[in-house]
């Protein structure tokens, strides 16, 4: 028989500091929970115990505090992020049937000591898991103390029986108490005898065996200081021994068999793991009876593949006047549609593409239903539209390209993932199982529960998983149907329904049309550009090798660190565990005084340009000769759109060679590019939202805003502001929007921190309402837990509640800049939709192609150019009504670089 005991607070503390700061979608900290359970499962698997219990401390004075008021008085309070997780760990343990033992007046150590004694007396082998070496005094021939330790290779376990303690410390486990009585313990604030350290204490106990024997021979003790101090402080030594001794006779009452280890993977524990979103732990529940906690709606799901059944279902949707239907299309890696699930509340079916049910037939039915007025709700509406577009005949495809996807594919559809994103934009993903748990309060199987380690694309081509695919697709459709109105209700309650209806949903269709259009790319120009990069990269390599005095791998941080900081002896290097840091921020500080580092930084930038764009873009050209980037709507917390495959928003246009990349993008014959870029939109938003008259008046006067700011900050007449002062003011202007610190500003403009702080102070003196406004944003976010844009979009800021100073500072910056950045993002989205829709409404052939931050690119037919220029200006400048005018810079060109 084996008994496993765990020191609850000790292992939770270790887990908290050993695992990243995880949170679930509700903002609850979960890292310690996850780490604790992982550690627990590891020990259970390794030890294979028959009995198991966990002991916790209680936040109340113990008998030791009554003996010595200052006991543990030097301990810092537990961090709030850890403190909130302790009850959750205990709740999960109890849900697993694990005894959680805690007693007022007694420490967990005493409980563990008592239980280990009882276990040993009953003939059990006992293992105690703790990070606290005080427990080594409990080691015997039958009681093992296991101490987890973090090593470079991972967590290692140090195991101690009585003989191991003796071998390591030269004393028995019981004598370990006497050592502490002499030397004391700073962590527990046990005083010990003044002037006796660990080495002297260990030598004395090895020689005399106990503090009592030491006292009996006190005049013989060496060194003399130990003799003198022990004689003078004998009462403190006795007290220290009592404080250090674990009481193995605590009055614990346990029912017979209550520590017996049973099935940990219970229904209640599964639900809690789902609630805390501990997804990596859920597979452990697969072999248990947790199926009963899964929602039983799946019993009503039905797969149909006969033509008459499918026809009857779609006819029924329209004849019954269904106004809302959840939908989920299943397509494999080749984007071949395998089937689609639909749920209308009365039935949830999966239409399997087999026999007469072809993907083309299914696409036609879904489009017909939408055009008939049935509102379809997808998890990824834009992707669904792309899948159906590929199945259209050439005439219908042409119509979509000319008239837009909204009118020709799904005129009446919504996206539940976009709606979920609006409610919680800091989540990493928006899946049906998460939303079912959060919104409906039900547990449904996740993809991994149904397909194991297989990905969906593989499962769709595995006939043995057809039932699992049916269940997965049907749940997607069912949850979309069942949760959407609840999600919309919450969106309305939070005042964001206008954002969803008038910004986010119209944007889905706008982005779909932009992705279909794509942008043409000149492969020859790209090859030429790659050649230029190769020449410059080779020049830089040669220069770097000459300055280094040898050839080496410039891309190897380790080799580079040795060259820079050892061979060349450059000062300012930062040593890490693996060598010298060669991160960009480290090298940028050293670059001004070291030409080799300037070359290395340029080399890195150009090498990335070549791999990402010169080489990477060539693989992204479709059969039509155009690049079709994918725009992501549910990724950034501020509401900004991102792009991928390829990412056209990260082209480094501040570099001359970076700007040249844009030359490879060109309009079709008979067209030019019109590029319209908002001028200083974030500063204009800041002026409006803060109501600062100084900034508002500067914009209204049409002044150079950076020169105007420099005039105020440096107390210099407007006409006498130097270029350097203007550059510094520009850095402050844009830095304020991002919550820049004096340290950050000093680094950006190359001045001392004190001088940078003076710039910031002068800035806020010049614009006092702005300072008041930004401080108000921080206070509001602290009170509510979120930051809000001008349109009411919310961005949760859980970092503000952190006990970590750096994390809180980050949260304060987020609270200040999210309302500004988020409002600017909302405005550009509104402008995109308005420009896109008006081009369609006026029957123009010109098309919106790209959005990059605050910039729109339109492919414009030359005969439509003047009309489109006017249209773009009107829609972008009137996208929002601010106290300062929204202005744009617009240029025409024969390629993207020329038009910017």
């Amino acid at each position: 028989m084996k008994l496993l005991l765990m020191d609850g607070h000790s292992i939770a503390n270790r887990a908290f500091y050993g695992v990243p700061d995880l949170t679930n979608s509700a903002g609850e900290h979960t890292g310690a929970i996850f780490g604790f359970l992982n550690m627990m499962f590891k020990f259970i698997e390794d030890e294979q115990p028959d009995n198991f219990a966990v002991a916790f401390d209680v936040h109340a004075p113990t008998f030791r505090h009554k003996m010595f008021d200052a006991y543990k008085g030097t301990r810092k309070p537990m961090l709030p992020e850890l403190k909130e997780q302790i009850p959750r760990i205990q709740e999960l343990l109890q849900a697993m049937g694990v005894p959680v033992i805690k007693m007022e007046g007694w420490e967990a150590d005493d409980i563990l000591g008592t239980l280990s004694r009882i276990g040993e007396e009953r003939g059990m082998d006992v293992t105690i898991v703790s990070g606290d070496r005080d427990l080594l005094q409990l080691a015997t021939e039958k009681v093992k103390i296991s101490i987890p330790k973090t090593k470079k290779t991972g967590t290692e376990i140090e195991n101690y029986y009585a003989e191991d303690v003796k071998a390591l410390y030269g004393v028995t486990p019981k004598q370990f108490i006497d050592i502490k009585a002499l030397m004391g313990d700073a962590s527990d604030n046990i005083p010990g005898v003044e002037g006796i350290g660990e080495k002297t204490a260990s030598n004395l106990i090895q020689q005399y065996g106990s503090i009592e024997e030491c006292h009996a021979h006190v005049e013989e003790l060496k060194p003399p200081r130990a003799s003198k101090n022990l004689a003078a402080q004998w009462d403190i030594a006795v007290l220290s021994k009592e404080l250090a001794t674990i009481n193995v006779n605590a009055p614990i009452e346990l029912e017979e068999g209550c520590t017996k280890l049973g099935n940990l993977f219970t229904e209640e524990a599964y639900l809690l793991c789902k609630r805390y979103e501990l997804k990596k732990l859920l597979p452990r529940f697969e072999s248990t009876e947790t199926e009963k906690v899964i929602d039983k709606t799946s019993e009503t799901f039905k797969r149909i593949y006969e033509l008459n059944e499918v026809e009857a279902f779609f006819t029924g949707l329209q004849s019954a006047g269904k106004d809302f239907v959840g939908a989920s299309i299943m397509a494999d890696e080749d984007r071949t549609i395998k089937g689609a699930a639909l749920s209308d509340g009365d039935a949830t079916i999966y239409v399997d593409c087999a026999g007469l049910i072809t993907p083309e037939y299914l696409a036609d039915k879904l489009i017909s239903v939408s055009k008939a007025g049935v509102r379809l709700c997808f998890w990824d509406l834009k992707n669904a539209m792309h899948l159906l577009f590929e199945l259209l005949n050439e005439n219908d495809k042409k119509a979509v390209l000319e008239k837009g996807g909204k009118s020709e594919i799904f005129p009446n559809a919504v996206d539940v993932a976009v709606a979920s994103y609006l409610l919680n934009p800091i989540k990493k993903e928006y899946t049906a199982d998460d939303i079912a748990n959060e919104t409906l309060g039900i547990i449904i199987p996740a993809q991994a529960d149904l397909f194991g380690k297989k990905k969906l694309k593989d499962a769709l081509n595995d006939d043995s998983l057809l039932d699992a695919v049916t269940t997965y697709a049907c749940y997607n459709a069912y949850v979309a149907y069942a949760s959407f109105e609840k999600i919309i209700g919450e969106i309305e309650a939070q005042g964001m329904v206008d954002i969803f209806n008038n910004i986010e949903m119209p944007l889905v269709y706008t982005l779909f049309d932009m992705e279909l259009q794509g942008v043409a790319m000149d492969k020859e120009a790209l090859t030429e550009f790659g050649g230029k990069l190769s020449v410059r990269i080779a020049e830089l390599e040669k220069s770097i090798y000459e300055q280094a005095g040898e050839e080496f791998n410039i891309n190897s941080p380790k080799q580079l660190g040795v060259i820079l900081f050892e061979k060349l002896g450059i000062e300012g290097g930062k040593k890490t565990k693996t060598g010298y840091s060669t991160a960009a921020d480290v090298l940028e500080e050293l670059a001004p005084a070291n030409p080799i580092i300037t070359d290395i930084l340029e080399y890195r930038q150009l090498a990335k340009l070549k791999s990402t764009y010169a080489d990477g873009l060539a693989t992204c050209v479709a059969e039509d000769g155009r690049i079709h980037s994918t725009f992501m709507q549910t990724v950034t917390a501020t509401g900004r759109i991102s792009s991928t495959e390829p990412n056209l928003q990260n082209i480094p246009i501040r570099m001359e060679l970076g700007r040249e990349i844009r030359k490879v993008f060109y309009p079709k014959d008979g067209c030019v590019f019109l590029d319209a870029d908002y001028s200083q939109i974030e500063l204009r938003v800041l002026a409006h939202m803060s109501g600062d008259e100084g900034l508002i008046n500067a914009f209204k006067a049409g002044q150079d805003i950076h020169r105007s700011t420099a005039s105020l900050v440096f107390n210099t007449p407007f006409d006498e502001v130097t270029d350097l002062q203007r550059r510094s003011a520009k850095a402050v202007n844009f830095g304020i929007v991002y919550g820049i610190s004096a340290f950050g500003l000093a680094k950006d403009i190359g001045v001392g921190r004190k001088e940078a702080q003076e710039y910031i102070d002068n800035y806020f003196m010049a614009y006092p309402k702005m300072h008041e406004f930004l401080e108000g944003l921080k206070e509001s976010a602290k009170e509510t837990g979120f930051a809000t844009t001008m349109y009411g979009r919310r961005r949760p800021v859980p970092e503000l509640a952190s006990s970590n100073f750096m994390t809180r500072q980050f949260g304060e910056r987020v609270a200040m800049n999210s309302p500004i950045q988020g409002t600017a993002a909302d405005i550009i989205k509104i402008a995109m939709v308005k420009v896109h829709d008006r081009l369609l409404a006026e029957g123009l052939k010109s098309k919106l192609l790209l959005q990059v931050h605050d910039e729109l690119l339109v492919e414009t037919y030359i005969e439509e150019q003047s009309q489109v220029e006017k249209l773009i200006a009107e829609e972008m400048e009137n996208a929002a009504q601010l106290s300062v005018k929204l202005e744009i810079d617009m240029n025409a060109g024969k390629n993207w670089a020329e038009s910017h």
Side-chain angles (χ1 to χ4, degrees), residues 199-217:
K199 185 176 181 180
T200 300
S202 180
N203 289 338
L204 290 174
I205 299 304
Q206 286 183 54
Q207 183 176 357
Y208 294 100
S210 68
I211 64 167
E212 288 79 11
E213 284 299 310
C214 286
H215 188 250
H217 299 82

Side-chain angles (χ1 to χ4, degrees), residues 39-53:
M39 187 82 67
M40 181 185 82
F41 291 139
K42 172 179 172 52
F43 274 99
I44 289 174
E45 288 161 5
D46 291 348
E47 297 289 332
Q48 294 292 308
D50 307 285
N51 292 267
F52 178 47

Side-chain angles (χ1 to χ4, degrees), residues 448-468:
D449 296 327
L450 293 167
F451 308 143
K453 294 182 179 179
K454 282 196 173 183
K455 295 182 178 179
L456 175 61
K457 63 184 180 183
D458 300 318
L460 287 168
N461 290 309
D462 186 340
D463 290 340
S464 69
L465 291 174
L466 184 55
D467 287 341

Side-chain angles (χ1 to χ4, degrees), residues 190-392:
I190 295 175
V193 177
E194 188 178 336
I196 297 182
E198 182 176 4
K199 185 176 181 180
T200 300
S202 180
N203 289 338
L204 290 174
I205 299 304
Q206 286 183 54
Q207 183 176 357
Y208 294 100
S210 68
I211 64 167
E212 288 79 11
E213 284 299 310
C214 286
H215 188 250
H217 299 82
V218 70
E219 294 179 0
E220 305 168 12
L221 301 185
K222 294 181 180 179
R225 182 175 60 179
S227 172
K228 178 183 176 182
N229 289 352
L230 181 60
Q233 300 174 32
W234 171 242
D235 56 336
I236 294 176
V238 172
L239 171 66
S240 296
K241 184 170 182 176
E242 288 184 63
L243 292 173
T245 302
I246 294 174
N247 191 323
V248 297
N249 293 294
I252 298 174
E253 296 181 7
L254 293 177
E255 295 181 10
E256 187 68 30
C258 73
T259 61
K260 186 173 178 58
L261 182 62
N263 172 35
L264 299 172
F265 305 104
T266 64
E267 170 184 340
E268 189 180 353
Y270 182 82
L271 290 169
L272 287 171
C273 284
K274 289 286 284 186
R275 174 190 161 186
Y276 296 128
E277 298 172 15
L278 306 176
K279 293 185 178 181
K280 290 187 178 180
L281 296 182
L282 295 180
R284 291 181 175 273
F285 290 80
E286 286 179 359
S287 61
T288 68
E289 297 179 0
T290 54
E291 291 181 4
K292 64 183 179 181
V293 308
I294 304 283
D295 177 72
K296 295 299 181 183
T297 308
S298 59
E299 295 173 0
T300 67
F301 297 163
K302 183 180 180 182
R303 180 169 71 247
I304 58 176
Y305 45 86
E306 296 291 346
L307 183 61
N308 61 336
E309 283 187 287
V310 178
E311 284 284 342
F313 181 82
F314 280 106
T315 300
L317 285 181
Q318 297 180 46
S319 62
K322 296 287 185 181
D323 60 355
F324 188 74
V325 174
S328 179
I329 299 175
M330 295 289 107
D332 64 14
E333 190 173 20
D334 297 327
R335 300 187 66 75
T336 300
I337 293 179
K338 295 293 188 176
L342 296 110
S343 180
D344 64 358
D346 294 326
T348 302
I349 58 102
Y350 180 68
V351 180
D352 195 6
C353 287
L356 297 174
I357 311 298
T358 63
E360 290 78 7
Y361 168 86
L362 187 54
D364 179 68
K365 283 297 178 185
L366 289 169
I367 292 171
S368 298
V369 163
S370 181
K371 288 185 175 181
V374 177
R375 198 181 193 196
L376 296 177
C377 182
F378 290 92
W379 284 100
D380 188 342
L381 171 59
K382 181 157 63 69
N383 183 59
M385 293 172 72
H386 278 298
L387 291 171
L388 269 56
F389 174 81
E390 293 171 14
L391 297 171
L392 300 178

